[in-house]
Amino acid sequence: MIIIFKKNAEEKKIEEFIESWKAKGFGTHLSKGENTTILGLLGDTSTLDANAICANEVVDVVQRVTAPYKMASRKFHPDNTVVTVGSGEGVKSSTFGKNTIGVIAGPCSVETEEQVVEIAKAVKKAGARFLRGGAFKPRTSPYAFQGLGKKGLEFLLTAKKETGLPIVTELMDIRQLKYFDDVDLIQIGARNMQNFDLLKEMGKVKKPILLKRGMSATVKELLMSAEYIMASGNENVILCERGIRTFDNYTRNCMDISIIPYLKRESHLPVIIDPSHAAGLRWMVPTLAKAAVAAGADGLIIEVHNNPEKALCDGEQSLRPEEFADLMKILPKYAELDGKRC
Ligand code: PEP
Ligand code: MN
């Protein structure tokens, strides 16, 4: 249930009103926007009398929220959530969810220090604001390269130091968290989107979370997974569409472009697109990236490799640095279509 306060309501009376709900055992979520202040009530509100609440002098409107996700819902939080990523000495932080397109780029997997540093420098030069690189890799086959683990994170940190780019990397298991102190944005991958215990743990972490849509997950399930993280205490969540499975396999996955306007309407969280895992085909990645930006995405996560033929993972969908640079040159035109800049 959401309670919209009157514009001229006294601050002190609003506070007392909120306290009264807490005392009754309800969770509360206050959103102060430019024009309205909204209180979200969390818990079993089914027996509450909306008219009785409306009678309070500070209350303007009471609305029931029928969606099962509350904190992730735009009804609870009408303004866009802006997530800031990046901290540490010499690191240039940037945001998702404002009027800029945040581009994350880098290899699927960290392979060597030289590889990740070289790619980091190239993507930075081209205009990427964040560096990606997997150290703990979820692979379909147990015999495939599993990532360099802790060592991979060390190489990624060297690249962060050398370029000042904030880093994004996947966490598969809560036991890995002890190595993530200097990671700026934690990725929860498609395969873990409904690992609810892991999501609850991500709620306790003081870092933003990049939540990827499961390959067969509905939009509602994605938002419920975001809700798990938020309800556990972390509201800095970025949603990521990375392609879903359909009956057709001419691409690795099917990029669901309609999820962008839908999520932007339904939720206040930033939405980014991963055209690399959606297409699975290098040549198609720039087209999908441009389409995503034109459709209103707040950012992109793109795989880039300096020697894709020799890549240990996902080489066939990785752009070469010069291809990535070409895309970054054209992207501002598409961002303008949605009133954003790169
Ligand atoms: C990745 O980003 O390299 C990855 C494994 O992504 P996803 O979870 O979307 O498959
Ligand atoms: Mn990959």
Side-chain angles (χ1 to χ4, degrees):
M1 177 174 272
I2 62 167
I3 297 165
I4 304 171
F5 293 113
K6 284 182 183 152
K7 283 203 175 38
N8 56 356
E10 246 182 72
E11 197 75 26
K12 193 166 168 291
K13 294 225 164 105
I14 291 184
E15 276 168 28
E16 282 168 11
F17 181 81
I18 296 172
E19 286 309 316
S20 73
W21 286 106
K22 284 187 186 159
K24 283 180 206 152
F26 286 92
T28 60
H29 181 267
L30 192 67
S31 168
K32 284 190 181 181
E34 256 176 52
N35 300 312
T36 44
T37 302
I38 294 178
L39 176 69
L41 276 190
L42 299 158
D44 182 10
T45 57
S46 59
T47 55
L48 296 178
D49 178 356
N51 288 330
I53 300 169
C54 235
N56 189 294
E57 59 180 316
V58 293
V59 177
D60 188 12
V61 180
V62 176
Q63 280 175 3
R64 291 202 181 274
V65 178
T66 46
Y69 39 85
K70 311 288 180 200
M71 298 183 75
S73 166
R74 199 176 269 285
K75 291 208 173 75
F76 258 52
H77 190 295
D79 295 337
N80 284 344
T81 282
V82 176
V83 178
T84 303
V85 176
S87 63
E89 216 187 294
V91 175
K92 187 154 175 12
S93 66
S94 276
T95 55
F96 290 91
K98 258 190 182 160
N99 52 355
T100 51
I101 304 291
V103 179
I104 305 169
C108 177
S109 306
V110 177
E111 297 169 8
T112 64
E113 187 171 86
E114 298 67 39
Q115 172 242 18
V116 71
V117 170
E118 188 182 320
I119 297 171
K121 286 181 178 165
V123 298
K124 182 186 178 184
K125 192 160 169 236
R129 289 207 229 127
F130 311 90
L131 174 68
R132 65 151 288 150
F136 297 96
K137 292 301 303 175
R139 302 303 302 276
T140 304
S141 165
Y143 309 117
F145 174 59
Q146 302 286 304
L148 296 180
K150 190 167 167 276
K151 197 87 210 136
L153 280 184
E154 285 167 22
F155 295 158
L156 203 53
L157 287 176
T158 307
K160 171 176 173 174
K161 221 180 209 160
E162 294 219 7
T163 58
L165 290 178
I167 53 172
V168 184
T169 194
E170 179 163 353
L171 178 122
M172 291 204 299
D173 186 305
I174 196 61
R175 286 169 292 185
Q176 294 156 358
L177 188 63
K178 55 181 179 286
Y179 307 124
F180 276 58
D181 282 356
D182 297 316
V183 170
D184 299 285
L185 176 59
I186 301 180
Q187 175 173 323
I188 298 298
R191 292 152 190 85
N192 265 321
M193 190 204 83
Q194 285 191 312
N195 183 338
F196 300 119
D197 283 338
L198 189 60
L199 298 178
K200 285 185 209 162
E201 291 296 332
M202 291 303 99
K204 298 182 203 153
V205 162
K206 302 268 170 291
K207 288 178 190 290
I209 308 296
L210 175 61
L211 178 65
K212 295 187 104 181
R213 181 184 185 182
M215 53 190 85
S216 322
T218 63
V219 185
K220 190 167 143 188
E221 285 164 344
L222 171 63
L223 286 169
M224 288 310 285
S225 292
E227 189 79 10
Y228 258 99
I229 300 172
M230 299 174 87
S232 306
N234 186 352
E235 295 185 34
N236 284 314
V237 180
I238 301 167
L239 304 170
C240 178
E241 156 68 24
R242 44 76 77 205
I244 46 172
R245 287 232 169 118
T246 67
F247 57 88
D248 212 340
N249 62 358
Y250 72 102
T251 49
R252 182 174 179 187
N253 291 290
C254 179
M255 189 174 100
D256 179 9
I257 196 103
S258 24
I259 200 172
I260 303 169
Y262 188 82
L263 282 176
K264 295 300 296 177
R265 187 185 164 101
E266 198 61 18
S267 176
H268 52 90
L269 297 172
V271 177
I272 74 165
I273 297 289
D274 175 346
S276 309
H277 290 86
L281 302 163
R282 177 181 314 122
W283 65 267
M284 199 183 277
V285 169
T287 307
L288 296 190
K290 289 183 270 190
V293 169
D298 296 300
L300 297 165
I301 176 164
I302 297 179
E303 288 187 339
V304 177
H305 200 287
N306 51 357
N307 190 357
E309 286 73 22
K310 295 268 167 60
L312 296 180
C313 187
D314 288 349
E316 61 291 352
Q317 66 193 35
S318 300
L319 294 184
R320 296 184 181 86
E322 56 278 17
E323 293 166 327
F324 176 71
D326 285 346
L327 171 63
M328 291 300 284
K329 277 186 209 132
I330 190 94
L331 220 45
K333 281 202 165 46
Y334 292 83
E336 273 169 32
L337 296 175
D338 191 48
K340 296 198 185 88
R341 54 195 171 76
C342 284

